[in-house]
mmCIF file of all heavy atoms in Angstrom:
data_model
loop_
_atom_site.group_PDB
_atom_site.id
_atom_site.type_symbol
_atom_site.label_atom_id
_atom_site.label_comp_id
_atom_site.label_asym_id
_atom_site.label_seq_id
_atom_site.Cartn_x
_atom_site.Cartn_y
_atom_site.Cartn_z
ATOM 1 N N ASP B 128 -12.110 -28.044 -19.088
ATOM 2 C CA ASP B 128 -11.888 -29.474 -19.011
ATOM 3 C C ASP B 128 -11.595 -29.925 -17.585
ATOM 4 O O ASP B 128 -12.089 -30.921 -17.206
ATOM 5 C CB ASP B 128 -10.722 -29.786 -19.952
ATOM 6 C CG ASP B 128 -11.122 -29.566 -21.435
ATOM 7 O OD1 ASP B 128 -11.857 -30.364 -21.928
ATOM 8 O OD2 ASP B 128 -10.660 -28.600 -22.036
ATOM 9 N N VAL B 129 -10.772 -29.211 -16.870
ATOM 10 C CA VAL B 129 -10.393 -29.626 -15.566
ATOM 11 C C VAL B 129 -10.542 -28.450 -14.595
ATOM 12 O O VAL B 129 -10.089 -27.335 -14.924
ATOM 13 C CB VAL B 129 -8.971 -30.247 -15.533
ATOM 14 C CG1 VAL B 129 -8.660 -30.522 -14.072
ATOM 15 C CG2 VAL B 129 -8.869 -31.449 -16.377
ATOM 16 N N TYR B 130 -11.146 -28.648 -13.452
ATOM 17 C CA TYR B 130 -11.209 -27.665 -12.435
ATOM 18 C C TYR B 130 -10.257 -27.972 -11.267
ATOM 19 O O TYR B 130 -10.057 -29.185 -10.967
ATOM 20 C CB TYR B 130 -12.634 -27.650 -11.779
ATOM 21 C CG TYR B 130 -13.762 -27.304 -12.810
ATOM 22 C CD1 TYR B 130 -14.327 -28.294 -13.536
ATOM 23 C CD2 TYR B 130 -14.284 -26.049 -12.936
ATOM 24 C CE1 TYR B 130 -15.390 -28.032 -14.434
ATOM 25 C CE2 TYR B 130 -15.229 -25.731 -13.782
ATOM 26 C CZ TYR B 130 -15.820 -26.752 -14.577
ATOM 27 O OH TYR B 130 -16.815 -26.462 -15.461
ATOM 28 N N VAL B 131 -9.607 -26.943 -10.742
ATOM 29 C CA VAL B 131 -8.641 -27.180 -9.650
ATOM 30 C C VAL B 131 -9.211 -26.335 -8.455
ATOM 31 O O VAL B 131 -9.353 -25.131 -8.563
ATOM 32 C CB VAL B 131 -7.243 -26.706 -10.026
ATOM 33 C CG1 VAL B 131 -6.329 -27.168 -8.882
ATOM 34 C CG2 VAL B 131 -6.849 -27.128 -11.286
ATOM 35 N N ALA B 132 -9.420 -27.022 -7.368
ATOM 36 C CA ALA B 132 -9.911 -26.367 -6.126
ATOM 37 C C ALA B 132 -8.736 -25.716 -5.319
ATOM 38 O O ALA B 132 -7.577 -26.126 -5.554
ATOM 39 C CB ALA B 132 -10.628 -27.411 -5.241
ATOM 40 N N GLY B 133 -9.062 -24.755 -4.567
ATOM 41 C CA GLY B 133 -8.064 -24.167 -3.691
ATOM 42 C C GLY B 133 -8.099 -22.617 -3.907
ATOM 43 O O GLY B 133 -8.552 -22.109 -4.995
ATOM 44 N N CYS B 134 -7.655 -21.948 -2.944
ATOM 45 C CA CYS B 134 -7.630 -20.425 -2.978
ATOM 46 C C CYS B 134 -6.282 -19.883 -2.446
ATOM 47 O O CYS B 134 -6.301 -19.396 -1.281
ATOM 48 C CB CYS B 134 -8.778 -19.906 -2.263
ATOM 49 S SG CYS B 134 -9.007 -18.174 -2.480
ATOM 50 N N PRO B 135 -5.187 -19.813 -3.102
ATOM 51 C CA PRO B 135 -5.020 -20.504 -4.414
ATOM 52 C C PRO B 135 -4.641 -22.006 -4.229
ATOM 53 O O PRO B 135 -4.201 -22.306 -3.110
ATOM 54 C CB PRO B 135 -3.778 -19.868 -5.001
ATOM 55 C CG PRO B 135 -3.084 -19.263 -3.793
ATOM 56 C CD PRO B 135 -4.079 -19.011 -2.720
ATOM 57 N N PRO B 136 -4.750 -22.813 -5.272
ATOM 58 C CA PRO B 136 -4.435 -24.217 -5.126
ATOM 59 C C PRO B 136 -2.919 -24.314 -4.938
ATOM 60 O O PRO B 136 -2.100 -23.416 -5.434
ATOM 61 C CB PRO B 136 -4.748 -24.837 -6.525
ATOM 62 C CG PRO B 136 -5.526 -23.763 -7.238
ATOM 63 C CD PRO B 136 -5.179 -22.478 -6.587
ATOM 64 N N ARG B 137 -2.385 -25.364 -4.287
ATOM 65 C CA ARG B 137 -0.992 -25.539 -4.158
ATOM 66 C C ARG B 137 -0.431 -25.948 -5.546
ATOM 67 O O ARG B 137 -1.187 -26.490 -6.361
ATOM 68 C CB ARG B 137 -0.732 -26.672 -3.207
ATOM 69 C CG ARG B 137 -0.860 -26.250 -1.723
ATOM 70 C CD ARG B 137 -0.481 -27.418 -0.822
ATOM 71 N NE ARG B 137 1.019 -27.690 -1.013
ATOM 72 C CZ ARG B 137 1.912 -27.049 -0.269
ATOM 73 N NH1 ARG B 137 1.744 -26.163 0.605
ATOM 74 N NH2 ARG B 137 3.289 -27.340 -0.564
ATOM 75 N N PRO B 138 0.873 -25.741 -5.824
ATOM 76 C CA PRO B 138 1.423 -26.032 -7.134
ATOM 77 C C PRO B 138 1.113 -27.530 -7.433
ATOM 78 O O PRO B 138 0.889 -27.843 -8.657
ATOM 79 C CB PRO B 138 2.906 -25.865 -6.929
ATOM 80 C CG PRO B 138 2.936 -24.793 -5.802
ATOM 81 C CD PRO B 138 1.766 -25.034 -4.943
ATOM 82 N N GLU B 139 1.213 -28.452 -6.494
ATOM 83 C CA GLU B 139 0.938 -29.888 -6.760
ATOM 84 C C GLU B 139 -0.448 -30.106 -7.386
ATOM 85 O O GLU B 139 -0.604 -30.886 -8.264
ATOM 86 C CB GLU B 139 1.109 -30.704 -5.486
ATOM 87 C CG GLU B 139 2.409 -30.751 -4.831
ATOM 88 C CD GLU B 139 2.613 -29.694 -3.875
ATOM 89 O OE1 GLU B 139 1.929 -28.668 -3.916
ATOM 90 O OE2 GLU B 139 3.408 -29.892 -2.865
ATOM 91 N N ALA B 140 -1.371 -29.264 -6.929
ATOM 92 C CA ALA B 140 -2.755 -29.426 -7.415
ATOM 93 C C ALA B 140 -2.804 -29.069 -8.941
ATOM 94 O O ALA B 140 -3.554 -29.704 -9.707
ATOM 95 C CB ALA B 140 -3.737 -28.583 -6.642
ATOM 96 N N LEU B 141 -2.052 -28.117 -9.218
ATOM 97 C CA LEU B 141 -2.092 -27.704 -10.682
ATOM 98 C C LEU B 141 -1.358 -28.728 -11.530
ATOM 99 O O LEU B 141 -1.869 -29.084 -12.583
ATOM 100 C CB LEU B 141 -1.464 -26.280 -10.866
ATOM 101 C CG LEU B 141 -1.477 -25.806 -12.305
ATOM 102 C CD1 LEU B 141 -2.901 -25.544 -12.735
ATOM 103 C CD2 LEU B 141 -0.625 -24.537 -12.480
ATOM 104 N N LEU B 142 -0.244 -29.261 -10.954
ATOM 105 C CA LEU B 142 0.397 -30.331 -11.707
ATOM 106 C C LEU B 142 -0.507 -31.561 -11.855
ATOM 107 O O LEU B 142 -0.499 -32.213 -12.916
ATOM 108 C CB LEU B 142 1.665 -30.741 -10.945
ATOM 109 C CG LEU B 142 2.813 -29.611 -10.945
ATOM 110 C CD1 LEU B 142 3.964 -30.033 -10.072
ATOM 111 C CD2 LEU B 142 3.244 -29.279 -12.346
ATOM 112 N N ASN B 143 -1.323 -31.779 -10.883
ATOM 113 C CA ASN B 143 -2.283 -32.858 -10.964
ATOM 114 C C ASN B 143 -3.283 -32.671 -12.035
ATOM 115 O O ASN B 143 -3.637 -33.617 -12.782
ATOM 116 C CB ASN B 143 -2.916 -33.080 -9.552
ATOM 117 C CG ASN B 143 -3.948 -34.181 -9.600
ATOM 118 O OD1 ASN B 143 -3.548 -35.407 -9.966
ATOM 119 N ND2 ASN B 143 -5.186 -33.997 -9.247
ATOM 120 N N ALA B 144 -3.694 -31.436 -12.148
ATOM 121 C CA ALA B 144 -4.701 -31.037 -13.273
ATOM 122 C C ALA B 144 -4.056 -31.262 -14.620
ATOM 123 O O ALA B 144 -4.711 -31.777 -15.550
ATOM 124 C CB ALA B 144 -5.088 -29.591 -13.124
ATOM 125 N N LEU B 145 -2.795 -30.963 -14.725
ATOM 126 C CA LEU B 145 -2.024 -31.174 -15.970
ATOM 127 C C LEU B 145 -2.077 -32.664 -16.280
ATOM 128 O O LEU B 145 -2.284 -33.055 -17.434
ATOM 129 C CB LEU B 145 -0.648 -30.610 -15.860
ATOM 130 C CG LEU B 145 0.212 -30.580 -17.081
ATOM 131 C CD1 LEU B 145 -0.429 -29.633 -18.068
ATOM 132 C CD2 LEU B 145 1.586 -30.189 -16.729
ATOM 133 N N ALA B 146 -1.775 -33.502 -15.266
ATOM 134 C CA ALA B 146 -1.735 -34.930 -15.479
ATOM 135 C C ALA B 146 -3.120 -35.374 -15.950
ATOM 136 O O ALA B 146 -3.261 -36.330 -16.734
ATOM 137 C CB ALA B 146 -1.358 -35.625 -14.176
ATOM 138 N N GLU B 147 -4.164 -34.808 -15.416
ATOM 139 C CA GLU B 147 -5.609 -35.190 -15.813
ATOM 140 C C GLU B 147 -5.786 -34.862 -17.306
ATOM 141 O O GLU B 147 -6.327 -35.635 -18.053
ATOM 142 C CB GLU B 147 -6.611 -34.320 -15.021
ATOM 143 C CG GLU B 147 -6.913 -34.882 -13.615
ATOM 144 C CD GLU B 147 -7.518 -36.301 -13.595
ATOM 145 O OE1 GLU B 147 -8.263 -36.571 -14.503
ATOM 146 O OE2 GLU B 147 -6.940 -37.069 -12.784
ATOM 147 N N ILE B 148 -5.294 -33.711 -17.719
ATOM 148 C CA ILE B 148 -5.406 -33.375 -19.140
ATOM 149 C C ILE B 148 -4.622 -34.407 -20.011
ATOM 150 O O ILE B 148 -5.149 -34.842 -21.031
ATOM 151 C CB ILE B 148 -4.852 -31.955 -19.370
ATOM 152 C CG1 ILE B 148 -5.664 -30.898 -18.692
ATOM 153 C CG2 ILE B 148 -4.758 -31.663 -20.873
ATOM 154 C CD1 ILE B 148 -6.839 -30.327 -19.373
ATOM 155 N N GLN B 149 -3.464 -34.742 -19.460
ATOM 156 C CA GLN B 149 -2.686 -35.672 -20.262
ATOM 157 C C GLN B 149 -3.414 -37.043 -20.332
ATOM 158 O O GLN B 149 -3.409 -37.735 -21.482
ATOM 159 C CB GLN B 149 -1.285 -35.966 -19.582
ATOM 160 C CG GLN B 149 -0.473 -34.680 -19.731
ATOM 161 C CD GLN B 149 0.898 -34.833 -18.958
ATOM 162 O OE1 GLN B 149 0.959 -35.561 -17.990
ATOM 163 N NE2 GLN B 149 1.863 -34.091 -19.334
ATOM 164 N N LYS B 150 -4.037 -37.453 -19.266
ATOM 165 C CA LYS B 150 -4.812 -38.721 -19.340
ATOM 166 C C LYS B 150 -5.952 -38.597 -20.384
ATOM 167 O O LYS B 150 -6.170 -39.468 -21.191
ATOM 168 C CB LYS B 150 -5.525 -38.964 -18.003
ATOM 169 C CG LYS B 150 -4.747 -39.859 -17.110
ATOM 170 C CD LYS B 150 -5.514 -40.241 -15.903
ATOM 171 C CE LYS B 150 -4.714 -40.148 -14.610
ATOM 172 N NZ LYS B 150 -5.562 -40.002 -13.409
ATOM 173 N N GLN B 151 -6.562 -37.480 -20.354
ATOM 174 C CA GLN B 151 -7.714 -37.187 -21.362
ATOM 175 C C GLN B 151 -7.098 -37.284 -22.843
ATOM 176 O O GLN B 151 -7.786 -37.842 -23.670
ATOM 177 C CB GLN B 151 -8.312 -35.799 -21.141
ATOM 178 C CG GLN B 151 -9.205 -35.660 -19.918
ATOM 179 C CD GLN B 151 -9.920 -34.327 -19.864
ATOM 180 O OE1 GLN B 151 -9.899 -33.617 -20.828
ATOM 181 N NE2 GLN B 151 -10.416 -34.055 -18.696
ATOM 182 N N GLN B 152 -5.893 -36.733 -23.005
ATOM 183 C CA GLN B 152 -5.319 -36.769 -24.327
ATOM 184 C C GLN B 152 -5.085 -38.213 -24.834
ATOM 185 O O GLN B 152 -5.257 -38.503 -26.004
ATOM 186 C CB GLN B 152 -4.061 -35.917 -24.347
ATOM 187 C CG GLN B 152 -4.361 -34.478 -24.301
ATOM 188 C CD GLN B 152 -3.084 -33.694 -24.054
ATOM 189 O OE1 GLN B 152 -2.166 -34.172 -23.430
ATOM 190 N NE2 GLN B 152 -3.137 -32.445 -24.590
ATOM 191 N N LEU B 153 -4.607 -39.036 -23.873
ATOM 192 C CA LEU B 153 -4.329 -40.390 -24.314
ATOM 193 C C LEU B 153 -5.620 -41.126 -24.640
ATOM 194 O O LEU B 153 -5.639 -42.061 -25.404
ATOM 195 C CB LEU B 153 -3.622 -41.105 -23.173
ATOM 196 C CG LEU B 153 -2.187 -40.763 -22.949
ATOM 197 C CD1 LEU B 153 -1.567 -41.396 -21.728
ATOM 198 C CD2 LEU B 153 -1.302 -41.000 -24.219
ATOM 199 N N LYS B 154 -6.768 -40.687 -24.051
ATOM 200 C CA LYS B 154 -7.983 -41.321 -24.274
ATOM 201 C C LYS B 154 -8.744 -40.835 -25.511
ATOM 202 O O LYS B 154 -9.804 -41.336 -25.896
ATOM 203 C CB LYS B 154 -8.916 -41.157 -23.014
ATOM 204 C CG LYS B 154 -8.628 -42.245 -22.039
ATOM 205 C CD LYS B 154 -9.714 -42.186 -20.944
ATOM 206 C CE LYS B 154 -9.198 -42.405 -19.523
ATOM 207 N NZ LYS B 154 -9.884 -41.640 -18.548
ATOM 208 N N GLU B 155 -8.232 -39.775 -26.110
ATOM 209 C CA GLU B 155 -8.973 -39.215 -27.312
ATOM 210 C C GLU B 155 -9.231 -40.255 -28.256
ATOM 211 O O GLU B 155 -8.310 -41.046 -28.671
ATOM 212 C CB GLU B 155 -8.079 -38.165 -28.043
ATOM 213 C CG GLU B 155 -7.887 -36.800 -27.254
ATOM 214 C CD GLU B 155 -9.126 -36.075 -27.201
ATOM 215 O OE1 GLU B 155 -9.812 -35.858 -28.326
ATOM 216 O OE2 GLU B 155 -9.543 -35.582 -26.113
ATOM 217 N N GLU B 156 -10.549 -40.276 -28.713
ATOM 218 C CA GLU B 156 -10.912 -41.371 -29.599
ATOM 219 C C GLU B 156 -10.198 -41.369 -30.891
ATOM 220 O O GLU B 156 -9.560 -42.266 -31.314
ATOM 221 C CB GLU B 156 -12.412 -41.358 -29.877
ATOM 222 C CG GLU B 156 -13.234 -41.767 -28.650
ATOM 223 C CD GLU B 156 -14.642 -41.417 -28.921
ATOM 224 O OE1 GLU B 156 -15.189 -41.543 -29.951
ATOM 225 O OE2 GLU B 156 -15.321 -40.964 -27.866
ATOM 226 N N SER B 157 -10.331 -40.274 -31.618
ATOM 227 C CA SER B 157 -9.693 -40.164 -32.953
ATOM 228 C C SER B 157 -9.436 -38.757 -33.217
ATOM 229 O O SER B 157 -10.205 -37.816 -32.900
ATOM 230 C CB SER B 157 -10.702 -40.753 -33.963
ATOM 231 O OG SER B 157 -10.275 -40.333 -35.271
#
Side-chain angles (χ1 to χ4, degrees):
Chain B
D128 293 288
V129 175
Y130 298 85
V131 190
C134 188
R137 285 188 62 92
E139 295 92 332
L141 185 64
L142 293 174
N143 182 53
L145 186 66
E147 277 303 316
I148 296 273
Q149 292 177 333
K150 264 189 226 160
Q151 288 185 12
Q152 285 171 331
L153 286 176
K154 276 192 215 146
E155 285 292 312
E156 286 167 38
S157 164

